[in-house]
Amino acid sequence: MPTDDGGRATAASILSGESNSRVTLRGWVARKHTVGGLIFALVRDGSGYVQVSFKKGGSDPRLFEAAKELTLETAITLSGEVRDDPRAPGGKEVAAHALEVVAPAESWPITKTAAKSASYIFDKRHLSIRGPKAVATMRIRTEVIGAAFDYFRSRGYHLISAPTFVQAAVEGGSTLFAVDYFGKKAYLSQSAQFYEEASLPALEKVWIFQPAFRAEKSKTPKHLTEFWMIESEQAFADQQDNLRVQEELLSSMVARVIRNRSADLKTLGRTLIQPDLPFARISYDRAREVAAEKGHAFEWGEDIPTEAERAVSLTQKAPFFITDYPLTARSFYHMTYPDRPDVTKSADLIAPEGIGELATGGQRINDHAQLMERIRSQDLPADSFSWYLELRRFGMPPHSGFGIGVERTTRWIAGLRHIRSASLFPRTLSRISP
Ligand code: 4AD
Ligand code: MG
């Protein structure tokens, strides 16, 4: 019987282990019901759920009485014998012969009726994260992140860290959170991209995994004000190389979730299909035509409006790229095509099923004069970008990179209606607690 470090069994080890063995298990009472002289408790631990039964009239009558008193979410330790039982979830049950209450629980406030209110559930998020769907989602999120660690490590990328207090807007001034930094104005980082770029001549291939902050004034199912971003940047790499990294990465995330978390996908009612490589590439111009055909026309040069992006996303069965965005819809640092100075070498990675953008990436301007000219032509404060510009004076080769949102990706993979469910403690326009 595999056990955890303390020599105890876990729910998962019991379900995958031998029957007729004696185990000690600790966890929380997730459900309880009585059928005649039997009490069934579904016990949750960090590995999953296992059913435990308490029989009336056993050798120790106090056991059944103690089980009767168990309230939901009580923390317990118990011992018993593992038996095959096709009626139990996972096909096994522990017949308890000893029970100890480790920490009692008061009457559980998240009743079926209360759970109908999404705002109540999120007000009580510190408790409601124990629910099966929240648990399944967080385990899927763990795999999404784990896949990124494995993907980048196996390909020789260095994991870096970058500051959260910054002075420059990577993605435009309108979503910056300002903070007072000893009397000076500073901001919370929107993206670590500039620090990744600075690391390239030292490390060549880097990635980063840390929070990003956006003062998003819009209340939508895809915006958080604080979220986790996986970003990567590579020297001597053009935009085509960049697209390949993104599709391989997302594909490895999906494969890992399908392989390790099929039960959790089932809990969420999600059918996830492994996408084929390469992903489809659709130009911005073509996406604009498709959107117009679906009744969501927009001007050339605009960023693709949410509803138009959604309409295009609904035409696809698998993740795909929209490429070649107009410069007017992109940040200042984007490289443009020599023969099309108003079109950038950039793309968004779009999830199907109406979900929309998961990642944005592109090739950066690596030439000093060109970048200076771009900053001037867009009336940006050159001072804020002085070190970013200076990089271009000391051996900055062509390079490209991207950022993919962890909660957006988890939302799509887990099939969640709203991005807030992909965050343990979401931060949105209207929520900063718990
Ligand atoms: O598209 P964005 O703004 O691109 C960048 O920040 C680039 N500097 C990244 C890079 O090239 N290194 O953000 C990247 C991704 C988005 O595609 C989206 O998945 C996620 O970050 N994201 C958000 N997720 C949740 N809530 C928000 N408000 C988000 N804003 C961006
Ligand atoms: Mg974007």
Side-chain angles (χ1 to χ4, degrees):
M1 166 82 45
T3 56
D4 71 6
D5 293 347
R8 277 178 209 86
T10 65
S13 76
I14 290 170
L15 294 185
S16 64
E18 305 275 307
S19 294
N20 307 317
S21 53
R22 295 204 140 208
V23 292
T24 301
L25 173 74
R26 59 187 181 189
W28 292 263
V29 179
R31 272 212 305 264
K32 201 182 98 177
H33 69 281
T34 309
V35 185
L38 271 174
I39 293 171
F40 295 101
L42 190 66
V43 175
R44 179 189 70 246
D45 68 7
S47 74
Y49 298 85
V50 65
Q51 180 169 301
V52 177
S53 65
F54 301 88
K55 198 170 175 187
K56 198 172 185 170
S59 59
D60 181 359
R62 284 171 308 177
L63 181 65
F64 189 79
E65 290 309 309
K68 244 165 113 180
E69 299 299 312
L70 282 179
T71 52
L72 290 185
E73 294 304 324
T74 298
I76 56 173
T77 299
L78 65 95
S79 331
E81 188 161 309
V82 181
R83 295 193 302 221
D84 287 324
D85 188 335
R87 291 162 303 180
K92 286 199 170 67
E93 173 184 287
V94 179
H97 54 65
L99 170 70
E100 186 200 334
V101 170
V102 178
E106 295 174 23
S107 175
W108 186 240
I110 304 173
T111 58
K112 275 213 168 97
T113 322
K116 287 193 179 123
S117 154
S119 71
Y120 179 78
I121 285 289
F122 280 91
D123 288 345
K124 292 280 182 205
R125 186 70 168 165
H126 51 293
L127 299 178
S128 64
I129 50 176
R130 305 179 192 190
K133 288 192 174 172
V135 166
T137 302
M138 290 310 135
R139 297 209 298 213
I140 288 171
R141 189 178 190 271
T142 301
E143 299 298 332
V144 166
I145 296 163
F149 272 84
D150 284 356
Y151 177 85
F152 288 117
R153 189 174 176 84
S154 68
R155 282 162 183 79
Y157 289 76
H158 299 276
L159 175 62
I160 63 163
S161 302
T164 297
F165 290 125
V166 297
Q167 287 206 291
V170 179
E171 297 302 326
S174 67
T175 61
L176 281 174
F177 274 114
V179 289
D180 173 62
Y181 197 78
F182 305 113
K184 270 195 197 150
K185 203 170 194 182
Y187 304 103
L188 298 180
S189 170
Q190 297 171 311
S191 156
Q193 180 192 320
F194 294 174
Y195 295 100
E196 286 187 307
E197 288 184 61
S199 309
L200 291 185
L203 298 168
E204 207 173 317
K205 291 159 81 167
V206 299
W207 79 287
I208 195 161
F209 167 60
Q210 63 183 41
F213 302 86
R214 306 281 171 104
E216 300 282 0
K217 312 251 165 33
S218 41
K219 210 171 171 179
T220 79
K222 61 179 203 175
H223 286 104
L224 295 169
T225 51
E226 176 175 359
F227 60 98
W228 282 73
M229 207 189 326
I230 290 167
E231 293 179 89
S232 174
E233 200 76 22
Q234 190 167 337
F236 305 108
D238 65 16
Q239 174 59 0
Q240 296 313 312
D241 301 324
N242 192 22
L243 296 183
R244 278 192 292 276
V245 177
Q246 293 174 58
E247 63 194 1
E248 282 176 14
L249 173 65
L250 183 61
S251 173
S252 78
M253 289 168 167
V254 172
R256 186 162 159 146
V257 170
I258 291 175
R259 189 170 67 241
N260 298 344
R261 289 288 160 235
S262 59
D264 292 316
L265 289 171
K266 207 166 153 206
T267 299
L268 294 163
R270 172 68 167 151
T271 310
L272 182 65
I273 296 162
Q274 182 67 44
D276 290 331
L277 291 174
F279 294 172
R281 285 133 168 84
I282 299 172
S283 70
Y284 170 95
D285 292 354
R286 177 64 198 137
R288 199 170 146 254
E289 285 168 11
V290 174
E293 284 159 19
K294 305 277 172 201
H296 296 283
F298 58 94
E299 286 293 309
W300 194 92
E302 265 185 71
D303 196 2
I304 306 183
T306 300
E307 276 314 306
E309 186 183 86
R310 189 178 146 72
V312 180
S313 159
L314 283 170
T315 67
Q316 300 294 308
K317 293 264 175 290
F320 63 102
F321 291 105
I322 299 181
T323 66
D324 302 334
Y325 282 71
L327 179 55
T328 44
R330 285 306 206 216
S331 263
F332 70 96
Y333 51 73
H334 278 88
M335 183 180 274
T336 49
Y337 289 95
D339 54 341
R340 293 167 79 195
D342 50 359
V343 178
T344 60
K345 296 183 179 180
S346 75
D348 275 7
L349 174 54
I350 311 285
E353 302 162 78
I355 293 293
E357 178 187 339
L358 301 183
T360 289
Q363 192 166 335
R364 328 302 189 185
I365 299 176
N366 59 303
D367 177 79
H368 185 272
Q370 261 180 43
L371 187 60
M372 191 67 216
E373 173 48 32
R374 183 67 62 71
I375 288 172
R376 268 209 203 100
S377 67
Q378 297 197 3
D379 274 336
L380 294 168
D383 284 359
S384 309
F385 302 110
S386 60
W387 66 258
Y388 185 65
L389 261 167
E390 192 176 43
L391 292 172
R392 274 76 186 160
R393 290 169 47 206
F394 298 95
M396 204 63 193
H399 62 281
S400 62
F402 65 93
I404 181 165
V406 170
E407 290 79 10
R408 287 216 188 152
T409 304
T410 304
R411 178 192 174 205
W412 171 64
I413 287 181
L416 308 172
R417 279 216 304 271
H418 199 292
I419 192 169
R420 66 185 167 199
S421 305
S423 170
L424 208 48
F425 294 102
R427 290 288 173 264
T428 62
L429 184 62
S430 54
R431 181 171 296 284
I432 193 166
S433 169

